[in-house]
Amino acid sequence: MIEVKELSRKYGEFKAVDDVSFQIEHGEVVGLLGHNGAGKTTIMKMLTGYLEPTTGTALIDGLEIGKDKQKIQRKIGYLPENCPLWSEMKVVDFLDFQATLHGISENDKPQVIRNAISRTGLLEKADQAINTLSRGYRQRVGVAQAILHKPKIIILDEPTNGLDPTQIRHMRSLIQELAQEATVIISTHILQEVQAVCKRVMILHSGKLVVDSNLEDLQNQDQLHLTIDKKGADILEKIPGVKDVNPLPIVNGKHSYIINAAPDVAPVITSTLVNSQIKVYAIYPGKQDLETVFAKVNSGELVEEKTK
């Protein structure tokens, strides 16, 4: 569906996007994360044809960005972070105008507009001028224009921006519904939104793609937490399957470690320690949440690992 190869974008000597490559298949819901200036918006603008890459290629259904820009844009629904809306127009008139731009026939327009209004919860606001709407409702209008033409790819930049908790739940349901028929890319600063609707996450740091992983795999890394009655790092490091041993502060005379090893190594670790006359108080799989991973990226820890 989407194939990006060695994509870069420079502004003078500054590289906003630096040699990024990835593939996204049909029906995936992918969260695009990164601090301000990481390159998220630049990538989205290149994928939608609003910005030319300096080097590299991006293919959408086999069509190349730049060469086949207009054909690609017909396949994409795009919600920019600050979606431009004609504020003096009524919601229904604005969507009618957008439907014309998408080439939707006059016969199909009423049904298409009704569907978009219904799916985004805009029915009670359809006859109101956009400039009278709250920020949350204006955001919904932006989503409605992005899905009018039933695009195969939907790119949403901060889709829950300005929404209240009820509207956020509705937006999550809509995204999951859209994923049944389209590929969805979501850029957001709200990690909970990625955890709620995405199965895959890509994290950018200073223009580079540092993390590209299924969310479940990312949060279930091979890690064990161990607490024993005396020092045991020397013994642990010699056990097959143990990649790394990181000691934690000693509490009440007990020694704790974070061990980089698969959960199935735990019985071997336990038996080895017991045979060495070391008491095991606790051993259990460790989990890291998305916030921890994101913090590691921003601190440069994961960036260093990626470049080793």
Side-chain angles (χ1 to χ4, degrees):
M1 172 61 71
I2 300 174
E3 186 176 4
V4 171
K5 295 181 180 178
E6 299 173 352
L7 201 66
S8 295
R9 173 69 193 192
K10 292 179 68 175
Y11 295 95
E13 295 302 313
F14 173 69
K15 269 194 173 182
V17 174
D18 188 0
D19 196 26
V20 168
S21 299
F22 59 82
Q23 287 185 327
I24 299 176
E25 300 301 327
H26 177 73
E28 283 196 88
V29 182
V30 179
L32 189 61
L33 292 174
H35 58 77
N36 291 332
K40 305 186 303 297
T41 298
T42 303
I43 285 179
M44 288 186 291
K45 285 183 176 179
M46 287 191 284
L47 289 179
T48 52
Y50 289 96
L51 196 61
E52 292 284 340
T54 304
T55 58
T57 59
L59 301 176
I60 311 289
D61 267 356
L63 301 172
E64 186 174 344
I65 285 292
K67 191 193 314 184
D68 304 305
K69 182 171 74 172
Q70 289 187 337
K71 291 180 180 178
I72 287 172
Q73 287 179 336
R74 294 191 190 104
K75 297 175 179 284
I76 292 177
Y78 180 36
L79 172 70
E81 183 176 1
N82 297 303
C83 185
L85 302 172
W86 281 263
S87 59
E88 71 281 0
M89 297 179 76
K90 292 182 179 179
V91 170
V92 67
D93 293 335
F94 172 73
L95 294 178
D96 183 86
F97 173 60
Q98 290 294 317
T100 300
L101 294 180
H102 285 303
I104 297 170
S105 70
E106 292 296 324
N107 289 337
D108 292 336
K109 270 187 187 180
Q111 186 60 48
V112 166
I113 293 170
R114 274 197 299 271
N115 285 343
I117 286 174
S118 175
R119 295 175 87 178
T120 52
L122 284 167
L123 189 59
E124 64 184 44
K125 306 291 183 181
D127 204 39
Q128 286 188 217
I130 292 173
N131 60 13
T132 67
L133 302 179
S134 68
R135 184 176 180 179
Y137 275 107
R138 290 198 299 272
Q139 189 75 345
R140 294 201 214 183
V141 175
V143 175
Q145 64 80 28
I147 66 174
L148 262 177
H149 56 303
K150 295 185 178 179
K152 297 179 71 174
I153 298 166
I154 300 170
I155 299 176
L156 306 174
D157 197 351
E158 301 289 350
T160 58
N161 192 13
L163 303 186
D164 63 35
T166 300
Q167 293 170 336
I168 287 172
R169 286 196 298 272
H170 181 271
M171 183 63 68
R172 289 175 181 174
S173 298
L174 176 58
I175 290 169
Q176 290 166 344
E177 179 187 330
L178 293 171
Q180 301 301 314
E181 56 196 42
T183 301
V184 183
I185 302 174
I186 302 168
S187 172
T188 179
H189 291 87
I190 304 173
L191 303 183
Q192 294 91 331
E193 293 309 305
V194 173
Q195 291 176 310
V197 299
C198 299
K199 291 189 176 179
R200 177 178 166 192
V201 62
M202 297 193 298
I203 305 180
L204 294 160
H205 180 81
S206 299
K208 291 184 177 293
L209 182 60
V210 179
V211 173
D212 183 359
S213 174
N214 288 331
L215 196 56
E216 186 176 343
D217 294 339
L218 191 66
Q219 295 179 140
N220 289 291
Q221 288 197 333
D222 289 346
Q223 207 172 73
L224 294 167
H225 288 242
L226 172 71
T227 302
I228 53 182
D229 69 339
K230 61 182 73 171
K231 286 182 68 173
D234 292 344
I235 296 172
L236 293 168
E237 289 169 351
K238 295 174 183 177
I239 297 174
V242 171
K243 302 169 188 173
D244 195 20
V245 178
N246 301 293
L248 297 174
I250 299 170
V251 178
N252 297 328
K254 295 176 181 177
H255 296 254
S256 295
Y257 301 90
I258 295 177
I259 304 168
N260 289 333
D264 58 9
V265 181
V268 180
I269 292 173
T270 304
S271 61
T272 302
L273 292 172
V274 171
N275 290 336
S276 301
Q277 306 301 309
I278 295 175
K279 292 180 181 178
V280 178
Y281 291 104
I283 184 167
Y284 56 91
K287 251 192 166 184
Q288 60 179 355
D289 57 18
L290 187 56
E291 185 175 354
T292 303
V293 177
F294 193 65
K296 286 182 179 180
V297 170
N298 285 337
S299 70
E301 183 178 338
L302 283 183
V303 179
E304 291 172 5
E305 291 178 11
K306 183 85 172 177
T307 54
K308 283 181 182 178

